[in-house]
Amino acid sequence: MLRYLGRRLGQALLVVAGVVVLTFAVMRLVPGDPAVAFAGPKATPEQLAEVRRQFGLDESLPLQLLNHVRDLLSGDWGISLHTRQPVRDDLYQAFPASLELVGAALLIAVVVGIPVGVLAARHQMRLPDLGVRVGSMLAVSVPVFWLALVMQLVFAGHLGWFPVAGEYDSSLDTTSPLTLWTNITVVDALITGNWPIFTSTLQHLVLPALVVAAYPAGVIAQMTRAALIEEAGQDHTRLERALGFGETSILTKFALRPALNPVLSLIALVFAYSIVNGFLVEAVFNWPGLGRYAADSIRSLDTPAIAGVTLLVALVYVLANLVVDILQAFVDPRTRAR
């Protein structure tokens, strides 16, 4: 187990190193002068030279790369050109809201996707299976921004069941100010017992979380169905049928656990994908997460902020895969030999 974990950790570090080099290269290849973007178009040559010296832009590329890696390891992710704040601090403020949204969406996707996949496998080639396959295909195929607008129009605008945008009612900042611990609003409100903000956040979270959950729920349902059908044809399931177990018991008690291996890998993939996919949802619902920060950074050609967002998403992806690898090793010891 320790050798397996060491091997997976080494692979994760190689991926992170590759992302660091790639983001550095992109920062240097993007058209425009970062010194001009930071100092302004009316800056004098002396001011531009000082900015280049301050950010190390006057040094050779290999030395800049070494300094970039050293700064990252020390926690210095650069200065945002449009907020004039450290990128690390900006990400610390923006990422928790995205994590809150994606976490709620993945919870919905897992709670819905796995049981629905089991239902489809149990009734293979019958009406429930057809309904699940059609529904999951629609969930995967529908453009996320279109679904967000439809949900907003129907459930917020027409029916008035949920708020139309924002993370919570901003008027509560005056009547029920929130004490921050994790910067994840729903968690902080729960920890501190701030029930007005907790309730308001849940109400605001429903629609964007459902939209973000649509794609992963459809993919998880399809993968669960396929994995269970494949597992149902194995020798052990034939033995269980011969022993008199029913199909439902075979699927849920014996086939589901080994079938979860590919599903766990898929969850890690859709987690990182959902963060990026959620950028459009955050824009539609005015959710204060990485999407807004990334959009502002792209509009202002803020290369340090763009590189910071890219590196953060890559780190989340690598960490999610590492966690899933560890879970797979416990669920199915056969994976340790891979």
Side-chain angles (χ1 to χ4, degrees):
M1 185 65 181
L2 290 177
R3 287 195 300 270
Y4 174 80
L5 292 179
R7 189 166 62 250
R8 287 293 185 261
L9 184 59
Q11 293 171 353
L13 291 176
L14 284 176
V15 173
V16 172
V19 171
V20 169
V21 173
L22 182 61
T23 53
F24 174 81
V26 170
M27 288 171 61
R28 295 299 179 265
L29 292 175
V30 170
D33 189 344
V36 174
F38 186 83
K42 297 183 179 180
T44 64
E46 292 78 13
Q47 290 173 327
L48 292 177
E50 174 60 24
V51 170
R52 291 191 181 96
R53 185 198 63 78
Q54 179 183 351
F55 290 99
L57 299 175
D58 55 347
E59 298 172 341
S60 64
L61 283 178
L63 188 56
Q64 288 184 43
L65 177 58
L66 288 176
N67 291 335
H68 179 63
V69 173
R70 181 200 62 199
D71 291 341
L72 289 177
L73 292 175
S74 65
D76 182 4
W77 287 32
I79 303 296
S80 170
L81 302 181
H82 76 280
T83 67
R84 304 303 175 96
Q85 300 292 326
V87 172
R88 184 187 61 182
D89 294 347
D90 288 342
L91 295 177
Y92 179 75
Q93 295 295 325
F95 182 61
S98 293
L99 189 62
E100 177 182 50
L101 175 59
V102 173
L106 277 187
L107 180 62
I108 294 171
V110 171
V111 169
V112 173
I114 292 179
V116 164
V118 173
L119 176 67
R122 174 64 181 85
H123 300 280
Q124 184 183 0
M125 304 307 295
R126 284 181 279 179
L127 187 59
D129 182 28
L130 177 62
V132 169
R133 283 191 289 166
V134 171
S136 60
M137 189 178 300
L138 288 175
V140 170
S141 305
V142 171
V144 65
F145 64 89
W146 181 85
L147 181 60
L149 291 172
V150 169
M151 296 281 280
Q152 201 175 57
L153 179 65
V154 174
F155 294 102
H158 182 66
L159 297 176
W161 289 356
F162 300 101
V164 68
E167 189 177 16
Y168 60 88
D169 188 351
S170 58
S171 65
L172 294 175
D173 288 330
T174 302
T175 58
S176 303
L178 179 64
T179 302
L180 297 178
W181 290 84
T182 65
N183 268 8
I184 301 177
T185 303
V186 69
V187 174
D188 291 338
L190 183 62
I191 291 174
T192 59
N194 193 326
W195 305 119
I197 287 187
F198 179 76
T199 303
S200 180
T201 303
L202 289 181
Q203 291 172 344
H204 284 75
L205 188 59
V206 170
L207 291 184
L210 287 174
V211 174
V212 177
Y215 177 86
V219 175
I220 289 172
Q222 291 177 352
M223 178 62 76
T224 303
R225 174 189 178 275
L228 279 174
I229 291 175
E230 180 180 356
E231 198 65 32
Q234 300 297 319
D235 291 339
H236 70 89
T237 57
R238 296 190 185 98
L239 176 60
E240 289 145 12
R241 290 190 188 96
L243 292 174
F245 288 98
E247 285 298 319
T248 302
S249 296
I250 292 173
L251 288 177
T252 56
K253 292 182 179 180
F254 302 105
L256 183 59
R257 181 173 176 177
L260 283 179
N261 250 332
V263 177
L264 287 174
S265 298
L266 182 66
I267 290 173
L269 291 172
V270 298
F271 178 68
Y273 175 82
S274 296
I275 291 178
V276 179
N277 199 35
F279 286 3
L280 290 172
V281 180
E282 290 180 10
V284 174
F285 286 95
N286 195 29
W287 194 264
L290 279 179
R292 180 193 298 178
Y293 182 71
D296 293 341
S297 301
I298 292 171
R299 280 195 296 267
S300 58
L301 293 178
D302 188 348
T303 51
I306 296 171
V309 171
T310 304
L311 181 58
L312 178 60
V313 173
L315 288 174
V316 170
Y317 173 78
V318 169
L319 181 61
N321 274 277
L322 186 60
V323 171
V324 166
D325 286 340
I326 295 172
L327 290 176
Q328 283 182 321
F330 282 106
V331 171
D332 187 356
R334 294 174 298 177
T335 60
R336 302 175 194 174
R338 294 177 184 174

